[in-house]
Amino acid sequence: MSVDIHQNWARNLAYSARHVARPATPEELAGVVEGAGRVKPLGSRHSFCDVADTTGTHVLLEAYDDGRPAAVVDQETGVASLRAGLLYGQAAVALLEQGRALRTMASLPHISLAGAVATATHGSGDTNGCLAGDVVGLELVTADGGTRTLRRGDADFAGAVVGLGALGVVTRVEMATDPAFEVRQDVVVGLPWEALLGELDAITGAAYSVSVFTRWDEADVAQVWLKSRVGGDAGQQERRPARDVLLELGAADAAGPVHPLPGEDPAACTVQGGVPGPAHERLPHFRSEFTPSSGAELQSEYLVPRERAVAAVEALRGLGPRIGPLLFAGEIRTVAGDDLWLSPFDGDTLALHFTWKQDDAAVRAVLHDVEAALLPLGARPHWGKISVTPPGDIAAMYPRFADFAELAARLDPAGKFRNRYLDALLSGERQA
């Protein structure tokens, strides 16, 4: 996508960086980091808040080459070593050429590996963790220009993966992969709310990845996207076709390809209608070769403990008349838990996503009501989306946050990788 690097993808945020660097070699990157006052890696610019902003130098890794293949798989372990600046779609294509596949993908294949991992970006599925959950190793350039490698089992690893860019510039990501597999995607419409609330576990467990789309003010659930591994899930065989489960609950087959945002061309979406294809061409909602929408939108997301899922859905339905007029689309997904310190998925989770019309004042006003309903249920805001909760209050939601703050201070004692967002987060200032 052609995007002004001085703005984020949605164009709701102008970056403050005085300089932009595109180092091509490890030596160039080390020199940029060592010589900068403040510095921040910038990925595909898909964060809607200023978590990736800096007043110093933005580092882009699009041209970075460390002399190793961009993607290489250890066929014995299935672990892939990947350049952190790759987009997920690019990584998936390179892995397929080596007979491997990413276990899960977000709705957009256009996001960078390092940025998605650093903010705990996720796809969907009862047994699928967030993208960071499949990381088994990281290489990063630290504040002094040196290189550090962390692997699962190291003392700092669980604190460094979802690192918000606070620890250094990640240059390489090692990820667990599966043997290449195929997925079919079916879409049903008009699911009754009573069925969703009464059979939530059956619905989210019906396929490898399930996404429920709603504007919250509708009589029925608008769409359910079912992504099933051909031949069954690697962890458990699909008990029966996912589509049949939903049809028995009162849904109907979509009449043809659909887009989750009303009025948008479904040509940008991945193939529907039950046609099998490579996992990376079905698990995202959008095709790599298309811009998924105009970008004139805002996004928020809240991650709720799975045991409070029904209460959260009912609370948002009650706010439907306020939410609906401001919303392009809402999405309900599930995410499995992990052990990463700043991952909001420390247990099985329901993810509640909002793609808003670009009316910042009105959206922030309704977010006060959304957060008043969801935060008492244990919800946490997504790191890369818009929230009205003060950063210090967000920090208090994470039991290991003090450990993360100590790690950040140890690896970056001068605060080279900090910015306004991280300053507020690490200060721990709470709302009065």
Side-chain angles (χ1 to χ4, degrees):
M1 288 179 290
S2 176
V3 179
D4 182 352
I5 63 168
H6 300 293
Q7 295 179 303
N8 66 339
W9 171 76
R11 300 188 294 278
N12 69 299
L13 176 67
Y15 293 126
S16 306
R18 297 187 185 94
H19 308 285
V20 175
R22 292 182 173 85
T25 66
E27 294 75 21
E28 288 180 12
L29 175 57
V32 169
V33 172
E34 189 176 9
R38 281 205 164 184
V39 62
K40 203 74 175 170
L42 184 65
S44 47
R45 300 172 286 276
H46 275 85
S47 289
F48 289 77
C49 65
D50 58 353
V51 64
D53 198 12
T54 183
T55 55
T57 299
H58 260 149
V59 173
L60 278 66
L61 296 179
E62 296 159 348
Y64 184 77
D65 184 351
D66 61 7
R68 290 173 284 179
V72 60
V73 176
D74 182 329
Q75 293 294 343
E76 192 170 312
T77 64
V79 171
S81 176
L82 302 155
R83 285 184 192 161
L86 287 176
L87 304 185
Y88 264 85
Q90 295 171 334
V93 170
L95 290 177
L96 183 60
E97 292 172 353
Q98 300 175 63
R100 307 295 297 187
L102 296 164
R103 294 173 172 174
T104 184
M105 293 184 72
S107 58
L108 292 177
H110 314 76
I111 55 178
S112 69
L113 295 176
V117 166
T119 54
T121 297
H122 63 91
S124 183
D126 284 359
T127 61
N128 296 325
C130 71
L131 304 181
D134 284 332
V135 173
V136 298
L138 292 173
E139 291 182 16
L140 65 160
V141 175
T142 52
D144 62 359
T147 299
R148 179 164 183 178
T149 300
L150 294 169
R151 289 194 170 88
R152 181 165 288 281
D154 294 345
D156 295 333
F157 175 82
V161 180
V162 182
L164 308 181
L167 309 179
V169 179
V170 175
T171 56
R172 201 102 189 158
V173 179
E174 295 178 2
M175 299 190 71
T177 66
D178 278 353
F181 61 95
E182 289 194 326
V183 170
R184 60 172 288 169
Q185 180 167 233
D186 297 278
V187 178
V188 300
V189 298
L191 178 72
W193 278 107
E194 299 75 29
L196 179 70
L197 292 167
E199 301 291 342
L200 184 62
D201 289 347
I203 291 166
T204 64
Y208 184 69
S209 173
V210 176
S211 291
V212 177
F213 290 99
T214 176
R215 290 177 57 251
W216 295 106
D217 60 352
E218 300 154 317
D220 296 313
V221 174
Q223 303 170 13
V224 184
W225 293 31
L226 304 157
K227 303 168 190 276
S228 304
R229 283 180 74 139
V230 175
D233 182 337
Q236 62 175 14
Q237 294 294 308
E238 309 275 1
R239 290 183 295 275
R240 56 192 172 120
R243 171 178 161 272
D244 291 355
V245 175
L246 276 291
L247 295 182
E248 289 176 11
L249 291 172
D253 285 318
V258 297
H259 192 292
L261 275 62
E264 294 287 342
D265 187 350
C269 298
T270 48
V271 174
Q272 301 164 24
V275 180
H280 72 278
E281 295 180 359
R282 299 294 185 274
L283 289 178
H285 297 332
F286 302 103
R287 303 185 195 211
S288 293
E289 63 269 28
F290 281 83
T291 300
S293 68
S294 65
E297 62 191 47
L298 303 173
Q299 291 185 12
S300 299
E301 188 171 38
Y302 299 91
L303 300 319
V304 181
R306 182 64 185 259
E307 62 269 20
R308 296 173 182 167
V310 171
V313 171
E314 289 177 333
L316 292 179
R317 283 197 71 204
L319 292 172
R322 290 212 60 203
I323 294 172
L326 292 172
L327 203 63
F328 283 125
E331 184 176 3
I332 303 169
R333 291 180 284 181
T334 56
V335 187
D338 58 59
D339 63 352
L340 306 175
W341 294 357
L342 292 195
S343 167
F345 311 106
D346 52 1
D348 292 345
T349 300
L350 192 78
L352 299 163
H353 183 273
F354 303 84
T355 299
W356 304 101
K357 298 173 184 177
Q358 205 167 63
D359 185 340
D360 188 76
V363 167
R364 289 181 183 275
V366 79
L367 283 179
H368 283 283
D369 292 337
V370 169
E371 295 187 3
L374 296 182
L375 266 56
L377 298 175
R380 294 163 169 164
H382 187 288
W383 291 114
K385 313 293 186 185
I386 294 172
S387 167
V388 293
T389 300
D393 286 10
I394 295 174
M397 299 173 183
Y398 290 84
R400 300 296 301 271
F401 191 83
D403 296 319
F404 176 78
E406 184 277 328
L407 176 62
R410 178 158 40 89
L411 294 190
D412 183 23
K416 180 170 291 193
F417 296 110
R418 289 173 63 162
N419 57 12
R420 187 206 66 82
Y421 184 92
L422 285 170
D423 284 340
L425 192 71
L426 291 165
S427 73
E429 293 183 9
R430 304 290 299 276
Q431 187 176 40

